[in-house]
Amino acid sequence: NGCPAAGAGAVDTSKGTYVYWDAAGGLNAVSANADLQFGSGSGIVAVDKNDNRLTTPAAIHARFRFSNWNDWVATAVLNNDFELAGLPGFPIHSAGLFYDHSTQHNPPGIAFPAGYTGAQDLSFEGLYIPSLSMSLPGSFQTFSGSAPGGVNFSNFILDNGGVTTSIDAVNILDLSTGSLGGWAFSIDKLSISVVQNNFQNGMSMTGKIRLPVSSDGLAYTCALNSADGNVNYQFVVQPSGELTVPLWLAQLNLDPNSSLVISGDMTGLSVKTHLNGSLGITIQQSGMPKVTLPALSFQDMAMANRADTSAGAGPGFYFSPGKWSLGGGVPIPAGFTSAGVMDGEVASGPNIASDHFPSPFDDGSSQGTVAGFNLELSDFQPYFMLKSMTEAEAGVYFNVKIGIGF
């Protein structure tokens, strides 16, 4: 056993390969340290410390002991992090794993992933990783510029049939801190299922993205697929419904024909919008008259996290107000103005009707109210400038005439 002249246990078997020889019985066991490489068809690709793909095969360093070559289970570590071959940009890390080369034993605590079609008893042979984490591509960051936390998952198998694993993570990136090209962005769920190197039912993400002018998030779905060594993101965002716009003190109602497109370009992921709809402004602050500007319609209001909306535009922030128009008479609830006004009629003046203050004249052309008086607006123009990733400047320009009834 070991080297008798050096004393029992003097040999460091954590390095190299050693033979345990018994004088009476001969060969007792072999203690081995070995590097095992995985071929190009294995379904995994090694990456360096900067998460760039390597041309050398993915490999592990394994340590094991056996007396029967067909009956050993090695503990091992990765020589490098790796990616799934069909999912570039999502590096995977692990602190430890097992390599099973036995039909008599399994790695301790093995749990087979959903969809696995190989042997699920003692006859299983292959690579088993109980616990892993996966990083997200650099396109997804926090507003501080740091990378979001990794996605933890478990039960990864690589055998003669390829990779089988399942990733189903939630609450990965929060809308309050997540950034996609400077726009608030969340990843609420990420689902990836692989069976023998085949992605099952696609790879998908869901979450929200927020327009720079709004405090509400728009829901998105995203399918991921790989082509030419890159991941393609197929985002689907349906910007419709009501959004709050605090900087304009407004409610924004988007028409279904509005569009928000997220796509990859030379500088990462671009976000470009073309919005149609209407906007209502209500200002009601203590010590100030109430101002209401309803039914302001707009067409083709555009925003982008690029210098403009053209293909190949560089990083920046682009805003175009599009075309705006103002509505006619303003329907209001009964009781808001002077006595006798019914639902759907036009606001005519302040709510101070009496014998001394008759209701002001209204010709039906009201475009809003201030303290109950009719407004006539022209040259309406919203203004928005992104001063930094977390600070914006906004306003509304317009000419106004107030009808006081005489």
Side-chain angles (χ1 to χ4, degrees):
N1 292 324
C3 179
V11 177
D12 181 5
T13 58
S14 66
K15 302 176 181 178
T17 298
Y18 296 87
V19 173
Y20 292 81
W21 187 270
D22 188 292
L27 179 65
N28 180 278
V30 175
S31 179
N33 289 272
D35 288 323
L36 306 179
Q37 293 184 339
F38 300 94
S40 58
S42 65
I44 64 175
V45 180
V47 297
D48 63 18
K49 293 181 179 180
N50 297 317
D51 297 332
N52 298 312
R53 290 196 166 193
L54 298 171
T55 56
T56 53
I60 61 172
H61 181 76
R63 183 182 178 190
F64 54 98
R65 178 173 174 169
F66 66 90
S67 55
N68 178 351
W69 174 249
N70 294 314
D71 185 17
W72 54 270
V73 176
T75 58
V77 293
L78 292 164
N79 289 359
N80 294 90
D81 291 339
F82 68 93
E83 295 175 344
L84 299 178
L87 193 61
F90 291 77
I92 294 174
H93 330 275
S94 176
L97 51 97
F98 300 94
Y99 187 83
D100 187 333
H101 192 262
S102 171
T103 58
Q104 304 299 316
H105 302 89
N106 282 145
I110 188 171
F112 296 96
Y116 181 62
T117 57
Q120 300 185 35
D121 54 22
L122 293 177
S123 64
F124 164 78
E125 291 184 289
L127 183 76
Y128 172 67
I129 309 179
S131 180
L132 313 91
S133 66
M134 183 176 71
S135 299
L136 300 178
S139 299
F140 307 117
Q141 298 181 343
T142 65
F143 278 106
S144 65
S146 62
V151 175
N152 297 320
F153 65 106
S154 57
N155 304 326
F156 179 102
I157 283 178
L158 172 57
D159 61 9
N160 290 334
V163 170
T164 299
T165 194
S166 181
I167 303 170
D168 195 7
V170 297
N171 301 325
I172 302 157
L173 189 59
D174 189 78
L175 189 64
S176 64
T177 57
S179 170
L180 179 68
W183 292 29
F185 177 82
S186 75
I187 301 177
D188 298 340
K189 185 175 182 180
L190 175 66
S191 299
I192 300 172
S193 179
V194 189
V195 175
Q196 295 185 333
N197 290 347
N198 294 309
F199 291 94
Q200 305 296 299
N201 302 318
M203 302 174 283
S204 65
M205 291 192 309
T206 59
K208 293 183 176 65
I209 186 168
R210 191 162 61 201
L211 301 177
V213 299
S214 176
S215 60
D216 301 318
L218 295 168
Y220 73 81
T221 59
C222 177
L224 295 79
N225 59 71
S226 176
D228 300 324
N230 296 299
V231 170
N232 293 327
Y233 301 91
Q234 297 177 330
F235 283 89
V236 176
V237 186
Q238 186 60 56
S240 62
E242 187 174 87
L243 300 176
T244 301
V245 185
L247 293 173
W248 290 339
L249 303 175
Q251 292 297 119
L252 191 71
N253 290 281
L254 297 178
D255 293 341
N257 62 347
S258 299
S259 68
L260 189 154
V261 178
I262 305 172
S263 59
D265 60 20
M266 295 296 292
T267 56
L269 289 174
S270 69
V271 188
K272 300 177 181 179
T273 71
H274 290 275
L275 306 177
N276 306 306
S278 62
L279 180 142
I281 296 177
T282 299
I283 303 173
Q284 190 169 13
Q285 302 288 340
S286 177
M288 294 178 60
K290 181 177 180 179
V291 178
T292 303
L293 307 177
L296 305 172
S297 299
F298 59 89
Q299 294 291 319
D300 203 29
M301 182 168 64
M303 284 175 277
N305 66 341
R306 294 292 183 263
D308 55 52
T309 57
S310 64
F317 180 75
Y318 174 81
F319 175 77
S320 172
K323 297 180 180 179
W324 290 72
S325 60
L326 298 161
V330 183
I332 60 171
F336 178 81
T337 59
S338 57
V341 177
M342 304 298 292
D343 282 339
E345 293 186 352
V346 174
S348 58
N351 191 8
I352 53 174
S354 69
D355 294 338
H356 302 289
F357 297 98
S359 299
F361 171 76
D362 172 41
D363 63 1
S365 63
S366 170
Q367 295 170 334
T369 64
V370 55
F373 290 104
N374 296 329
L375 299 179
E376 182 181 336
L377 306 176
S378 62
D379 303 323
F380 184 88
Q381 184 85 351
Y383 166 76
F384 184 84
M385 177 180 290
L386 196 66
K387 301 180 71 174
S388 71
M389 290 301 181
T390 57
E391 184 180 5
E393 183 178 285
V396 177
Y397 300 109
F398 54 86
N399 295 321
V400 59
K401 293 180 181 179
I402 299 179
I404 60 176
F406 56 86

